[in-house]
Amino acid sequence: MLKDNLLHICNSYQTNKMYQLFFDEIAKLGNKQIVIAPGFYKSGIEEFYGVKVFYYKRAKSLLQRILFQRKRKCIFTYINNALNLSTVRLVHAHTLFSDGAVAYDLYKEYSIPYVVAVRNTDVEMFFKKMFWLRSIGYDVLRNASKIYFISKSNLNSFLKAFPRKIIQQIENKIEVFPNGINKMWLENKFIREEPCLSSTINIIYCGDIVSNKNILNVARAIKTLNRKGYSINYHVIGLKENQNSPYIKKIKEFQRQNPFISMYPRSEITSLIKYFRESDMFVMPSFEETFGLVYIEALSQGLPIIYTKGQGIDGTFPEGTVGYHVNPSCVNSIVEGIEKVIKNYSSIHSRIKTLDIHQYDWVKIALRYNHDYQMI
């Protein structure tokens, strides 16, 4: 039987719509794809535009993370039972540990080559904190045909954390490919004709309202700036229906004393574009970030950005070109970053205007991946 299927192992598929955008473009290039999507929410099989998705519903338990080898074995067994692996020519594992370990098992059992992505969680949580799993990560990296990083900062964190001996064994297989953004952002690129700040500045955040995104420290920084004489409003978009976590309660408590904060529910892209165009700056100094597509979405609407030093898109653009990196744990650092954007707003805007946002088009990114797929 002809081996013509590309198999994706993707533990984040059930919660991140980005992957379907990627798989759709890969399908348009003539690839037959199967997706194994372990997660907590769905089971069964669906097909989208010719991409067959197998949902493996995992037990929602802390033990699943602690007992990593058990999770790994369960996913491997599910794949063995669900698929005819003789038809699979290549596996794309979308994380080093949760997906890559299973891809490595398939490689050992069936000699199916694989490529693997290394994400922020792989380095910051699995490698640094779950040290007993490091040897697994080394095996996955050494046997992969290609190793992908989403950003330069992601790669730099990896290079600092992993032993030089391992890096020397794999460095010729490393590529940095960014994620792409929805085509609606590209088709509706927007730049203000007159980039002048009004007397009241509108700062926006859009995404999950969780502690990692550091919304409270941004609010504290804005409070400091308002005390210094600025007039800044902070618009936070991303509330889910009936979401009332302890972190959100803290934000709402802060909001009661500081009415410059406004909170809005999650919105579709058309509404988000409107919110972005009514804003002056995007600020998201996450504590940990693999890439952060929302930074690119903000840039597509002409907004300067504040991002985290050593995380996400830091290093993608020369410092000061589109905004500034800050220390997420230091409110004063966030204050200084926002002030620098305000003082250099016109020059930053002029540079954003010339950016090639279309390098984040999934069509172009899929072509790069497809070239690698064909060479393996």
Side-chain angles (χ1 to χ4, degrees):
M1 188 173 290
L2 189 66
K3 291 190 175 185
D4 59 358
N5 284 307
L6 171 62
L7 171 62
H8 298 276
I9 305 176
C10 188
N11 270 265
S12 298
Y13 180 87
Q14 293 192 28
T15 55
N16 193 329
K17 295 178 181 179
M18 173 198 76
Y19 291 102
Q20 188 62 51
L21 298 175
F22 173 45
F23 300 155
D24 289 348
E25 295 303 329
I26 292 293
K28 291 175 185 176
L29 296 172
N31 295 281
K32 295 181 180 179
Q33 297 173 93
I34 299 169
V35 179
I36 297 296
F40 302 132
Y41 306 103
K42 297 182 74 172
S43 60
I45 304 172
E46 291 181 339
E47 190 164 331
F48 302 96
Y49 308 107
V51 181
K52 187 171 285 188
V53 182
F54 290 75
Y55 295 102
Y56 167 57
K57 192 170 184 180
R58 291 166 41 202
K60 198 168 187 178
S61 166
L62 182 60
L63 284 175
Q64 283 277 0
R65 178 163 284 181
I66 297 172
L67 302 177
F68 176 82
Q69 298 287 35
R70 181 180 176 183
K71 180 179 80 169
R72 172 185 180 180
K73 184 177 180 181
C74 287
I75 297 172
F76 178 79
T77 301
Y78 174 81
I79 293 173
N80 262 319
N81 293 336
L83 304 182
N84 177 0
L85 288 164
S86 66
T87 68
V88 176
R89 64 179 176 86
L90 179 67
V91 176
H92 188 152
H94 289 269
T95 61
L96 173 58
F97 285 92
S98 295
D99 303 329
V102 180
Y104 174 57
D105 290 338
L106 293 171
Y107 170 75
K108 289 190 295 181
E109 185 76 18
Y110 300 102
S111 299
I112 303 171
Y114 65 91
V115 299
V116 63
V118 180
R119 300 187 184 275
N120 192 73
T121 302
D122 291 315
V123 177
E124 299 299 328
M125 187 186 74
F126 281 99
F127 184 77
K128 290 185 178 180
K129 298 177 182 178
M130 302 173 76
F131 56 87
W132 59 92
L133 298 179
R134 288 178 184 173
S135 62
I136 296 172
Y138 298 154
D139 286 339
V140 174
L141 292 167
R142 277 192 289 254
N143 290 280
S145 296
K146 281 285 184 179
I147 301 164
Y148 297 111
F149 291 85
I150 311 304
S151 67
K152 290 181 180 179
S153 65
N154 190 210
L155 173 58
N156 289 337
S157 295
F158 169 83
L159 294 176
K160 291 176 183 177
F162 276 63
R164 184 62 194 161
K165 181 180 178 181
I166 299 296
I167 293 168
Q168 288 174 337
Q169 294 172 1
I170 65 172
E171 56 190 353
N172 64 322
K173 300 187 285 188
I174 291 174
E175 301 273 8
V176 178
F177 288 0
N179 287 331
I181 58 176
N182 190 293
K183 65 175 66 176
M184 285 188 66
W185 295 102
L186 300 171
E187 293 170 351
N188 291 278
K189 183 179 177 182
F190 177 77
I191 299 291
R192 293 172 180 79
E193 291 301 320
E194 297 182 7
C196 298
L197 288 169
S198 62
S199 56
T200 298
I201 299 167
N202 290 297
I203 288 177
I204 191 170
Y205 164 80
C206 173
D208 290 334
I209 302 179
V210 293
S211 59
N212 181 54
K213 301 302 181 179
N214 209 13
I215 295 160
L216 268 177
N217 271 355
V218 174
R220 293 178 184 121
I222 293 172
K223 182 176 181 177
T224 298
L225 287 162
N226 284 339
R227 283 177 172 173
K228 292 177 70 172
Y230 293 97
S231 176
I232 302 177
N233 290 324
Y234 186 26
H235 303 281
V236 177
I237 303 170
L239 271 176
K240 298 176 185 177
E241 189 174 355
N242 299 320
Q243 185 183 12
N244 199 25
S245 67
Y247 189 70
I248 288 177
K249 289 178 181 178
K250 287 181 180 179
I251 296 172
K252 289 181 176 179
E253 183 179 336
F254 190 92
Q255 182 185 26
R256 281 192 286 272
Q257 303 298 321
N258 300 277
F260 61 80
I261 306 173
S262 300
M263 299 181 75
Y264 307 88
R266 298 183 76 174
S267 302
E268 296 299 319
I269 292 178
T270 50
S271 297
L272 289 177
I273 288 173
K274 180 176 180 292
Y275 283 130
F276 276 53
R277 291 183 180 182
E278 292 172 349
S279 302
D280 300 299
M281 188 188 316
F282 178 84
V283 178
M284 189 177 80
S286 306
F287 289 106
E288 295 180 0
E289 195 73 57
T290 295
F291 186 72
L293 287 176
V294 68
Y295 296 117
I296 307 301
E297 294 166 356
L299 290 172
S300 79
Q301 301 306 301
L303 296 184
I305 57 177
I306 296 292
Y307 46 95
T308 304
K309 185 175 182 178
Q311 297 280 336
I313 68 165
D314 190 24
T316 301
F317 308 99
E319 181 65 4
T321 301
V322 298
Y324 298 94
H325 64 216
V326 298
N327 178 351
S329 300
C330 177
V331 171
N332 284 338
S333 178
I334 300 170
V335 168
E336 291 169 5
I338 294 172
E339 278 197 297
K340 283 194 282 188
V341 168
I342 292 171
K343 291 173 182 176
N344 298 287
Y345 198 81
S346 180
S347 59
I348 292 173
H349 179 275
S350 66
R351 289 190 289 269
I352 292 174
K353 192 173 182 179
T354 64
L355 282 181
D356 177 20
I357 296 296
H358 286 272
Q359 65 184 298
Y360 300 100
D361 187 339
W362 274 121
V363 174
K364 293 184 177 181
I365 295 166
L367 284 169
R368 296 175 70 184
Y369 277 106
N370 191 60
H371 176 267
D372 283 358
Y373 294 159
Q374 303 308 316
M375 294 296 104
I376 297 170

